[in-house]
Structure formats: structure tokens, C-alpha cells
Amino acid sequence: MPATLANLHGHIMPLEDVRISAQDRGFLFGDSVYEVLRVYGGRPWLEEEHWQRLKHSLDAIRIEGVDLERLRRRMHETLAAGPFDEAMVYLQVTRGAAPRRHAFPKDTVPLELLWVQDYDDGPTAKGRTTGVAVITRPDIRWGRCDIKSTNLLANVLVNQEAAEAGAAEAILYLPDGTLSEASHSSFFTVKAGALQTTPLKANILPGITRKFLISLAQKAGILVREATLKREELFHVDELFLAGTTSEVLPVVAVDGRPIADGKPGPISKRLLEGHQRAVVEILHAK
Ligand code: PDD
């Protein structure tokens, strides 16, 4: 089984064989959008939600002429060509290649690339049990973080700072001290048994895991509040966890070197993680 397989405009090939123009606007301007999907037992998880979000991103930056049904078929063909079991799909659409001018070029064909790669959950699985550390950093991103664009420089820089601090993630705060989200994850807190997460209107990515966990919590009778939190409040919550496609539910036990509660993953984080894992097992049995 190949570890990675790409699909460029419908042609399946090793990832190393993909050739993209130096004039591609995704490369030159970050004029492109993307999605990351998790594949469990060969099945893409929450697939419909990812296609809907990709459509939202394409519409928001006005990339036209992408046949999403065709792209979906290509993804499934590539998954079957592996075949892949525990994997991840990276999917990117750019405005295409054209002489470098800022305004949209005319008649340029969007670039449609995806690849599937084996996914080793091992390191993250360990973090789910022990809990991870995070740091907080200023949110210097633009005002349209609802668009899943490949303009990720601010995210890259803070994530590097996290890595250098021995932390798993960086949670971001705005000039008024309000927390938004993390560099590549959503986050939730728990206080007095209630779950809280940043509202979508606060310039964050509409996380698919975030939405799934809100509904899971509501079904379990856990109170969910969508409200912003200030950075100082983070040090006084009962529980904190990251949420994302590959992270699933990742408990946080320290922020900026200070422990959260007793410094161990909390009960609601564990319950939601188990709920997520049960839902994954259910889709596998629904085969
Ligand atoms: N990151 N917030 C940001 C800024 C993200 O980049 C992501 C996803 C999330 C979580 O969204 P979801 O639950 O839909 O994966 C929140 C992807 C995985 C990445 O860039 O690798």
C-alpha cells in the first residue's frame, strides 16, 4: 500500500510526481483554499460538512468553475486506489496559474489537487491520555478567518513558537484580551459543568469538530454556551481542550506553564472524547 497518493485534475500519481506552475496563484498569493479530512477505516469522517465548507470558502474568494461532485469522486477513487485505512486527505483548490498580477486573471482554470496519506494517530493518542500544554499568543490574522484559506503565515509563526516552547498549540487572543481559537484547532473550556466555546461571529474557522462536539454535548445533556472568554479567565477554568479533525478531543493540562485545575484531563473532556470515538466506531460498523 502506498503511504501517499495524489490526484491532480483526475490523474492519480505519486505525490512526488505532482508538478505545479511557479505562476500558480496559490503559490504566489496564497490565493487558494483547502480542507483536511480524517479517514477512519477507509471512510472519510463528516465528509458532507467538509464539502459544504469548501464550497463556502470557494464562494467567499470567488473561485468559480469547480465541480465539487467530480472532486468528491476523485477523492473516493484515490482512497480506493490505495486502498487506505487510517488516513488523512488534504485537498486544495487555487485560482490557477497566470502572469503575476494581483487582480483575478481572466479564463484561468482553477488548480484542483488532493492527496491521501497514511495517518499515524500514535503521538496524538498519547496526548489525549496525558493532556498537552499550550501557550497563548496575539492573534495577528486577517478579518476573514471563516475562510479556510492557505494564507497561514500567522498560524505557522505562532505554532512554531508553541513548538519551541514544548507546547502542542498556541491559543490566540485579540488586542482586547478576548480569545479566538488556536493556530490549527478550535478550543473549548468547562466551568461548573458547562461547556463554552468561541461564537462563530468572532472571526474563527467554523470548525467541523467544534460543531460535532457541540451537538454531542447537547445530546448528552451538557450545557453549551457560545461566548468569548478573556485570556485571564483561561487560567481559572475547570477543563480546557482542543478540538480538530486530527486532534479530535485533546485535553489541555497547562497554559503558559500554569496548570489547569489539577493538571490532569478532566471528566467532560474524557466523556466527549469517548463520545467522538464511539461515533467513529458506529460509522465503521455502518459499512
Ligand atoms: N485545521 N481552527 C483552525 C484555524 C484550523 O486550521 C482548524 C483545522 C480548526 C479545526 O477545524 P476542523 O474541526 O474542521 O478540523 C480550527 C486543519 C486540520 C489544518 O489546518 O491542518
Side-chain angles (χ1 to χ4, degrees), residues 39 67 69 130 142 182 255 257 270 276:
V39 175
D67 182 339
E69 273 312 312
T130 57
W142 71 326
V255 178
K270 282 190 202 160
H276 187 289

Side-chain angles (χ1 to χ4, degrees), residues 25-44:
R25 292 175 61 94
F27 172 62
L28 293 178
F29 297 111
D31 189 358
S32 83
V33 295
Y34 77 109
E35 280 297 326
V36 176
L37 289 85
R38 179 73 162 86
V39 175
Y40 296 100
R43 293 198 143 190

Side-chain angles (χ1 to χ4, degrees), residues 34 36 53 148 181-186 205 207-209 244-245:
Y34 77 109
V36 176
R53 189 170 62 186
K148 200 161 170 58
E181 61 181 331
S183 77
H184 61 85
S185 345
S186 313
L205 183 79
I208 288 168
T209 318
T245 291

Side-chain angles (χ1 to χ4, degrees), residues 148-220:
K148 200 161 170 58
S149 97
T150 59
N151 276 284
L152 291 171
L153 186 54
N155 309 57
V156 165
L157 293 177
V158 290
N159 195 268
Q160 176 61 19
E161 285 192 62
E164 287 170 7
E169 251 290 25
I171 294 183
L172 309 173
Y173 56 89
L174 296 163
D176 69 353
T178 302
L179 297 163
S180 53
E181 61 181 331
S183 77
H184 61 85
S185 345
S186 313
F187 78 89
F188 287 77
T189 55
V190 178
K191 181 101 181 161
L195 200 59
Q196 184 166 326
T197 196
T198 311
L200 294 185
K201 63 175 190 292
N203 193 36
I204 58 165
L205 183 79
I208 288 168
T209 318
R210 173 190 178 282
K211 187 173 166 207
F212 176 77
L213 293 175
I214 289 175
S215 117
L216 196 67
Q218 285 168 338
K219 280 183 206 142

